[in-house]
């Protein structure tokens, strides 16, 4: 995000879609939430689609969220191998509005 700020982009909007079904991995619950960020920049709007992973250690009472694009899907699979086989992660896309 810092690189984008240096290039003149600012975050215009952050949108979350409905979370996936919750799956278990041992004593943890996990859910994928698709996310789209809209940036305004020198050449117009830029969109970034990815997802965040919600993790609960207390049967869904509280949740912690991590960005899949920042952490990397490989690392998430290593941390939660059982659950990630049951979850669908949206493909990360970055595109511009023409």
């Amino acid at each position: 995000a810092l690189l984008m700020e240096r290039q003149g982009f600012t975050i215009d909007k952050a949108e979350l879609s409905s979370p996936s079904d919750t799956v278990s991995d041992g004593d943890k619950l996990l859910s994928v939430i698709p996310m789209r960020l809209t940036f305004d920049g020198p050449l117009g709007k830029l969109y970034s689609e990815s997802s965040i992973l919600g993790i609960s250690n207390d049967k869904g009472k509280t949740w912690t969220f991590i960005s899949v694009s920042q952490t990397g899907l490989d690392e998430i699979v290593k941390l939660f191998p059982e659950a990630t086989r049951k979850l669908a992660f949206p493909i990360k896309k970055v595109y511009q509005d023409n």
Side-chain angles (χ1 to χ4, degrees), residues 12-88:
D12 179 47
K13 191 184 332 181
E15 301 167 278
L16 299 176
S17 297
S18 297
S20 68
D21 289 338
T22 302
V23 301
S24 61
D25 191 299
D27 61 345
K28 294 175 178 30
L29 295 176
L30 291 91
S31 183
V32 174
I33 301 103
M35 175 177 64
R36 181 169 96 156
L37 299 176
T38 304
F39 297 90
D40 276 328
L43 300 175
K45 291 201 181 288
L46 185 70
Y47 301 94
S48 173
E49 293 183 3
S50 61
S51 57
I52 55 177
L53 180 66
I55 306 158
S56 176
N57 293 315
D58 57 9
K59 298 184 172 118
K61 291 179 189 163
T62 60
W63 291 84
T64 301
F65 300 94
I66 57 176
S67 169
V68 175
S69 64
Q70 296 295 316
T71 307
L73 191 52
D74 292 345
E75 290 299 313
I76 290 172
V77 170
K78 285 179 196 172
L79 290 170
F80 308 105
E82 191 178 319
T84 50
R85 284 193 290 272
K86 305 173 203 167
L87 291 169

